[in-house]
Amino acid sequence: MLVPVFLPNLGCYSRCIYCDQSYIVDLKNENLKDYIDRALRKEGLFEVGLYGGNILGMDKVQLQSILRLFDPYLEKISRIRLSTKPVRPEGEVLDVIHLLQTYKVEIFELGIPIFDDGILNFLQRNHTVKDLEDMYKYLRESGFKVALQVMVGLPHETRIHVVETVKRILELKPEYIRIYPLVIIKGTPMERMLFDGKINLVDFEEVKKRTAYIYASAAINGIMTLKIGLTDNEALRKNTVGGFYHPSFGYLVKCYIFWEALKGAMLKYRINGKTDLIINEENIAYFYGYKGENRRALETLGISLKKTDPSLDSWEFVLIREDGSEVKGKILEVFLESLSFFPQT
């Protein structure tokens, strides 16, 4: 069991222009000790995820005072994973990392919204792509597992940037990735830019395509995506003023992959007319799609679900023509082949 503990904006010596983590977790009048005590009063062993803020931006004394709040629970904590900005592995940052090694920290999730220094500067991230690469290498050599958090739908982002993101993910081979669509929050500098007409964003369908490309490319290369989209909560919904928030964003992306892949398979294998589909039971929700959209669209192509087959791998399919001949394929591979505007990985 993973117990999330959010430390909103702690260690952030500057704010990214899209960020206000108070909407991710609302501590209200609760102090940090009470919040941690409430979160960790669990039975049995559990893993802790420290999210929000910028832990590598804290000084050692400040971080140690926070980590001591976890001392009463260390026997029940199996390991800790944490998310942070990448910074240069030098000076006091190294002392902070060594301290974290004594507190069962095994996984670092490094946030790198985009692999482009110009856009990182525009977002006021206060780190470069090289900072990410240097920290990634240092953490790996120090025995940590490292994951990446990337974003999609940013201002000035193009498909070329998304291709570069995939290239770097495949080169770095992280433990896993998370993919977040841009969400613009009330009161942030990006909200003002949006309503002043200083930034333009692509549409929701394009962001789904870009996210799907990252997810599928990582998956067929053995890199797991732990999460797509932000965790739904009422405060986030009420204070989102732009961008690409949807409570089922990850599901929409996978439904899009499923539809595009089967449409592409019909073309690739020159299948026409009534066609039966066999899939693994895990993929039934993607066959039906959001509010039944996929099922209706697939029926227009002549595809109907015949049965599920547990012997098929997840994301595997069989199409049966009217003459009884069969075609077997893999959803993610066919999907990437069908995306002619993205190069194949």
Side-chain angles (χ1 to χ4, degrees):
M1 177 176 64
L2 175 65
V3 178
V5 176
F6 292 90
L7 306 174
N9 301 124
L10 286 176
C12 291
Y13 40 85
S14 66
R15 297 277 185 94
C16 308
I17 62 172
Y18 54 81
C19 184
D20 188 335
Q21 293 178 349
S22 65
Y23 295 126
I24 304 298
V25 59
D26 184 5
L27 295 181
K28 297 180 181 177
N29 296 320
E30 190 173 30
N31 66 42
L32 189 57
K33 180 182 183 305
D34 290 342
Y35 168 64
I36 290 173
D37 287 340
R38 179 169 55 84
L40 300 188
R41 288 193 188 110
K42 309 289 182 185
E43 296 296 327
L45 284 175
F46 52 83
E47 179 182 358
V48 170
L50 298 182
Y51 301 120
N54 178 30
I55 286 179
L56 294 183
M58 297 182 186
D59 63 58
K60 185 177 177 180
V61 174
Q62 180 190 20
L63 178 59
Q64 197 160 34
S65 68
I66 293 173
L67 290 176
R68 283 175 180 156
L69 300 177
F70 292 86
D71 283 348
Y73 308 97
L74 284 179
E75 290 185 0
K76 298 199 296 182
I77 297 173
S78 58
R79 68 175 182 180
I80 297 174
R81 69 178 73 195
L82 60 86
S83 64
T84 185
K85 283 184 182 180
V87 294
R88 293 178 184 175
E90 60 188 20
E92 192 171 10
V93 172
L94 301 184
D95 294 334
V96 168
I97 293 172
H98 295 155
L99 173 62
L100 291 169
Q101 283 179 310
T102 68
Y103 270 84
K104 297 187 177 182
V105 175
E106 291 187 14
I107 303 175
F108 277 81
E109 297 185 13
L110 297 179
I112 179 75
I114 193 167
F115 286 84
D116 181 275
D117 284 343
I119 299 179
L120 289 175
N121 184 60
F122 168 78
L123 298 173
Q124 297 182 15
R125 289 285 297 180
N126 285 307
H127 68 80
T128 65
V129 173
K130 189 175 188 306
D131 291 336
L132 176 281
E133 293 170 341
D134 290 347
M135 178 55 75
Y136 189 100
K137 180 181 178 183
Y138 179 82
L139 291 172
R140 275 280 181 87
E141 291 176 349
S142 299
F144 294 102
K145 298 175 182 177
V146 187
L148 295 177
Q149 300 176 0
V150 299
M151 291 184 71
V152 183
L154 295 165
H156 312 303
E157 172 195 288
T158 67
R159 289 177 177 176
I160 294 172
H161 291 114
V162 177
V163 171
E164 182 66 16
T165 291
V166 167
K167 176 186 172 185
R168 296 299 185 95
I169 287 171
L170 300 188
E171 288 173 350
L172 291 168
K173 297 180 174 61
E175 190 75 10
Y176 55 84
I177 63 173
R178 298 181 191 265
I179 311 172
Y180 297 119
L182 173 68
V183 176
I184 301 179
I185 301 297
K186 183 188 301 182
T188 60
M190 191 171 282
E191 180 201 16
R192 294 193 296 274
M193 291 180 181
L194 179 68
F195 289 111
D196 289 344
K198 294 181 179 178
I199 57 173
N200 294 306
L201 303 178
V202 297
D203 61 32
F204 193 87
E205 289 301 307
E206 177 66 14
V207 170
K208 277 200 310 185
K209 291 177 184 178
R210 295 180 183 188
T211 305
Y213 175 67
I214 297 172
Y215 169 81
S217 299
I220 67 170
N221 285 280
I223 299 171
M224 175 179 63
T225 299
L226 200 62
K227 187 172 182 60
I228 303 173
L230 291 166
T231 300
D232 183 38
N233 72 54
E234 185 178 357
L236 187 59
R237 288 195 303 273
K238 286 182 177 179
N239 291 283
T240 294
V241 295
F244 310 99
Y245 175 74
H246 192 287
S248 302
F249 184 75
Y251 174 61
L252 294 180
V253 168
K254 292 178 181 179
C255 290
Y256 168 74
I257 290 172
F258 200 87
W259 153 250
E260 288 291 338
L262 290 181
K263 184 174 66 172
M266 296 288 279
L267 293 172
K268 177 179 180 179
Y269 300 113
R270 299 179 182 177
I271 300 174
N272 294 298
K274 187 177 182 300
T275 307
D276 288 330
L277 171 68
I278 304 174
I279 53 176
N280 186 293
E281 187 175 4
E282 293 178 13
N283 296 136
I284 285 181
Y286 308 136
F287 167 80
Y288 282 98
Y290 187 68
K291 296 183 178 179
E293 291 174 350
N294 269 10
R295 180 184 61 80
R296 292 190 294 272
L298 290 168
E299 285 177 350
T300 66
L301 297 180
I303 298 176
S304 58
L305 181 63
K306 181 180 181 181
K307 65 177 181 178
T308 60
D309 184 349
S311 70
L312 292 177
D313 291 337
S314 179
W315 294 109
E316 212 168 30
F317 67 89
V318 176
L319 291 172
I320 306 174
R321 297 183 177 95
E322 286 186 283
D323 64 6
S325 60
E326 297 183 359
V327 169
K328 187 175 183 179
K330 296 184 177 180
I331 291 286
L332 298 180
E333 291 181 2
V334 177
F335 168 72
L336 287 175
E337 290 172 2
S338 72
L339 286 182
S340 58
F341 48 80
F342 281 122
Q344 295 178 30
T345 55

